Amino acid sequence: MSEHSGMPGHGEAFFVVLPDHEAALAVAAGVPRARTLRHPSGRPWLIGNWTDTEITVAEAGDARLALIGTRPHDVERVEREAARLTGLTSLDRLARTLPGSFHLVAALGGRTRVQGDAAGLRLVFHARVGGVSVAADRADVLAALAGAELDERQLAVRLLWPVPHPLPHAPMWRDVHSVEPGAHLVLDAEGRARTRRWWSPPEPEQTLAAGAAELRTALARAVGVRTAGGGTVSCDLSGGLDSTSVCFLAARGHAEIIAATWPGRDPIDEDLLWARRAAARLPGVEHAVWPADESPLVYAGLLDIDDPLDEPSIGMMDRARVLSHVPRLVAKGSRLHLTGIGGDQVAWCSEAHYHGLLRRRPLPALGRLRGFRALFDWPFGPMARALADGRTYRRWLAGTAADLRRPPQPAALGALGWDMAPRLFGWVTPDAEHAARELIREAARYAEPLAPDRGQHADLQGVRMCARIVRQWEQMSARAGLPMSSPFLDDRVIETCLAVRPEERVTPWRYKPLLVAAMRGVVPDECLARSNKAEASMDAADGLRAHHGDLMELWDGSRLARLGLVDAARLRALTARPATPELREAILYTTV
């Protein structure tokens, strides 16, 4: 992210949406465009860089409709929707039913609707440029058009771990605004902007059996949208339940499938064992196993990163690992790479649901809570405090502002509360601390939780934080030559999971019971028996030792230090001792 924002280069995909207004002509002249679509008036409507495989467009009278991203290749349906479009709000139905993950842009009667998804993978931003409101799928594009200045307070907030809702939604530049996932933006003929919510999470009332049947259908459709084009598609096959499910569903489609496995370096890592077990039951699927010792470690390649991103991302830690398979899979003919990312966030759910369940159904909830206490080794005191805490989200968020320098709270408080309380690390300066505290307190005056129940809120927050990282990985991977996609983060899949009763989705006695039930008959039973997943802690520790020299160089040239937000000398002193116990945790990630 540059200090003075600029347009993406090197052919990265982006789009800008302009209102049907005369002043937008001058704005359009400032967009380096490869493609242009027009309003019925002839003025530019959509400008940007995309390929024909990424967009479906329909025109009917004065209606314009575009789907950008992963969507059904059903041009006739999109044309029918455009032909019967009588108002922009009628698009709610289309947005709530189509599988995939995409932006929807529509124009009718001088007004334009722009929206992303509910997960937060397809974001929308807007800003005033040349006297009119303009939208885009990237904040840096709008910042360049508007000449917006970097907001150093937002950088300070991103040094928190974690960054609590709603703070992650603010762009890094002043006067650039984001549209919250699940809402859409309307640009009117006068060049003004307003937002409206089109999506809300379902009530969790489904039984596990009913939900499993619906999840099987939703996930199959999500994978099918991606394999429908044929050709060769590669899939992660880590041996975990999530990637294994995607592989078996993909193998049912129209594409040739390559299952790709990077074994862990840890001798006790069981991923390869489980991956081979799954691959043996996938006839006709090539299983590509890469040498474990060739897998990049965490922190690898940090000095080589030149991806133009529009926000900081802890996904940078694993960039080299995420992209390491790209050249080999492209050489094998892969046009798209599917992952199981997001399964942890939707096929499981937060234990915080038991805060509410304890009040509604105390006896069953107490039995499960005793199981969680044994499973996670939660001390009784913090667990009891979390369950007794009845603060609203605003009060909880306001209360975190005073604790930013305290040691991390016990795990039970975060797991059973609204969220983990944010913390700053010792090398963050007092100025950055002051800015972060100020923004937390400002947000606490108006913040609303993502759902009234803290368990539902935690589920949605987990999905959104995962989606923001995957959004950046998708941009990096596409730029490297192989688009990647994560079916578990499709809205239809998320909705199906959220609709299942939480006490059936998360239990100390069974691992991902909803996904196991959904994949029964699709994935062999022996592959559904796994009840754990590998950790990358050894790779992270080894990476710190191997690449601490790169980190030292990163601190030497740190713009954060020049802005007065971090103490580079303290970072150098800490990094010079890679065996320091506290570095075994992810404490450097937000700063990197």
Side-chain angles (χ1 to χ4, degrees):
M1 184 178 68
S2 59
E3 188 168 357
H4 300 288
S5 51
M7 291 284 179
H10 308 289
E12 281 83 21
F14 74 94
F15 65 83
V16 174
V17 185
L18 300 170
D20 193 4
H21 191 281
E22 186 176 357
L25 295 171
V27 180
V31 182
R33 54 194 180 274
R35 311 284 295 266
T36 301
L37 302 176
R38 298 187 179 278
H39 286 283
S41 66
R43 296 178 181 129
W45 171 47
L46 262 172
I47 304 176
N49 187 34
W50 58 80
T51 65
D52 289 339
T53 60
E54 295 171 314
I55 191 168
T56 300
V57 182
E59 300 180 3
D62 67 344
R64 300 288 185 271
L65 183 58
L67 302 178
I68 308 168
T70 303
R71 74 271 170 239
H73 297 274
D74 187 351
V75 178
E76 291 78 12
R77 178 177 179 182
V78 178
E79 289 174 342
R80 290 195 302 270
E81 294 289 345
R84 65 187 184 189
L85 194 61
T86 57
L88 294 180
T89 56
S90 66
L91 289 169
D92 286 4
R93 175 186 49 80
L94 180 66
R96 292 191 187 115
T97 55
L98 284 180
S101 175
F102 50 86
H103 286 91
L104 183 154
V105 187
L108 180 70
R111 299 165 70 239
T112 295
R113 169 171 170 162
V114 190
Q115 73 178 61
D117 60 353
L121 190 60
R122 309 290 177 185
L123 296 178
V124 175
F125 304 91
H126 63 102
R128 297 288 290 181
V129 184
V132 293
S133 291
V134 178
D137 66 330
R138 294 179 59 120
D140 54 347
V141 169
L142 285 181
L145 288 173
E149 295 294 325
L150 191 67
D151 188 341
E152 295 172 10
R153 294 200 311 165
Q154 296 300 335
L155 287 178
V157 161
R158 297 304 179 96
L159 289 167
L160 290 166
W161 180 252
V163 184
H165 168 79
L167 297 173
H169 307 307
M172 297 294 102
W173 291 273
R174 297 182 179 91
D175 302 319
V176 177
H177 311 282
S178 64
V179 178
E180 187 175 1
H184 69 246
L185 180 77
V186 173
L187 306 175
D188 66 21
E190 302 304 316
R192 297 169 300 208
R194 62 179 178 83
T195 60
R196 171 183 166 271
R197 175 153 292 282
W198 64 271
W199 185 91
S200 296
E203 288 299 317
E205 299 171 343
Q206 284 264 46
T207 65
L208 182 72
E214 293 190 8
L215 176 56
R216 184 183 305 114
T217 299
L219 192 56
R221 291 184 73 196
V223 174
V225 163
R226 292 157 169 88
T227 59
T232 300
V233 171
S234 53
C235 302
D236 279 339
L237 182 57
S238 70
L241 290 178
D242 307 329
S243 66
T244 300
S245 299
V246 170
C247 274
F248 275 90
L249 288 169
R252 293 180 158 197
H254 299 290
E256 297 293 323
I257 302 300
I258 302 169
T261 301
W262 272 110
R265 296 175 181 236
D266 193 329
I268 65 171
D269 188 326
E270 297 181 350
D271 277 0
L272 182 57
L273 171 69
W274 286 94
R276 290 195 189 281
R277 187 172 294 169
R281 302 296 298 272
L282 285 164
V285 171
E286 178 184 353
H287 187 204
V289 180
W290 317 127
D293 57 3
E294 293 183 15
S295 175
L297 296 165
V298 180
Y299 301 106
L302 291 180
L303 299 181
D304 301 325
I305 295 174
D306 61 353
D307 299 281
L309 305 180
D310 62 357
E311 66 177 351
S313 172
I314 65 169
M316 287 298 187
M317 301 303 96
D318 286 316
R319 177 187 180 275
R321 294 157 66 89
V322 169
L323 301 184
S324 58
H325 63 274
V326 167
R328 303 183 198 213
L329 292 174
V330 169
K332 288 178 175 289
S334 178
R335 65 172 177 84
L336 177 68
H337 187 69
L338 303 186
T339 84
I341 299 171
D344 285 342
Q345 284 71 33
V346 302
W348 192 249
C349 68
S350 171
E351 295 84 8
H353 280 282
Y354 284 88
H355 182 278
L357 285 169
L358 182 64
R359 287 151 176 79
R360 297 191 300 272
R361 300 174 57 203
L363 289 179
L366 281 171
R368 298 289 184 87
L369 286 165
R370 282 194 292 268
F372 285 124
R373 185 186 175 201
L375 180 66
F376 299 126
D377 196 25
W378 285 340
F380 177 78
M383 186 175 174
R385 289 201 305 276
L387 292 170
D389 182 6
R391 288 178 295 174
T392 64
Y393 186 75
R394 289 183 186 178
R395 284 188 59 205
W396 173 84
L397 183 60
T400 67
D403 297 336
L404 299 181
R405 295 288 192 181
R406 293 187 181 178
Q409 64 180 186
L413 288 175
L416 297 171
W418 285 107
D419 199 349
M420 289 173 54
R423 294 290 187 263
L424 289 173
F425 302 110
W427 53 86
V428 177
T429 65
D431 286 347
E433 179 184 5
H434 175 76
R437 180 175 289 116
E438 186 178 64
L439 282 181
I440 289 174
R441 286 173 173 162
E442 287 179 12
R445 289 198 286 269
Y446 65 84
E448 295 292 342
L450 297 173
D453 179 84
R454 64 184 60 193
Q456 291 175 302
H457 167 86
D459 287 349
L460 289 168
Q461 175 73 339
V463 167
R464 290 189 180 189
M465 297 311 293
C466 176
R468 293 190 90 93
I469 296 172
V470 172
R471 173 178 178 260
Q472 306 291 20
W473 279 344
E474 286 192 359
Q475 292 176 14
M476 296 174 195
S477 190
R479 182 175 184 242
L482 180 61
M484 67 176 280
S485 192
S486 301
F488 277 104
L489 291 175
D490 284 8
D491 288 351
R492 305 290 83 78
V493 177
I494 294 168
E495 290 164 353
T496 302
C497 293
L498 293 179
V500 176
R501 297 168 184 167
E503 64 268 33
E504 297 195 63
R505 285 172 61 205
V506 60
T507 162
W509 322 125
R510 298 168 62 195
Y511 183 63
K512 294 186 180 176
L514 175 60
L515 183 59
V516 170
M519 290 296 101
R520 192 78 69 190
V522 176
V523 177
D525 287 352
E526 63 188 281
C527 301
L528 293 173
R530 190 172 186 181
S531 60
N532 61 6
K533 62 182 294 178
E535 295 184 18
S537 55
M538 178 178 170
D539 288 356
D542 289 348
L544 190 61
R545 286 189 290 270
H547 300 295
H548 78 277
D550 289 352
L551 286 169
M552 296 287 271
E553 188 172 340
L554 198 64
W555 310 143
D556 286 339
S558 171
R559 180 174 298 149
L560 290 177
R562 294 200 303 273
L563 292 171
L565 300 177
V566 301
D567 184 335
R570 292 191 65 174
L571 281 165
R572 283 193 295 269
L574 181 63
T575 309
R577 305 188 306 275
T580 302
E582 61 185 306
L583 288 178
R584 294 172 187 165
E585 306 297 329
I587 62 174
L588 289 175
Y589 283 19
T590 55
T591 303
V592 174

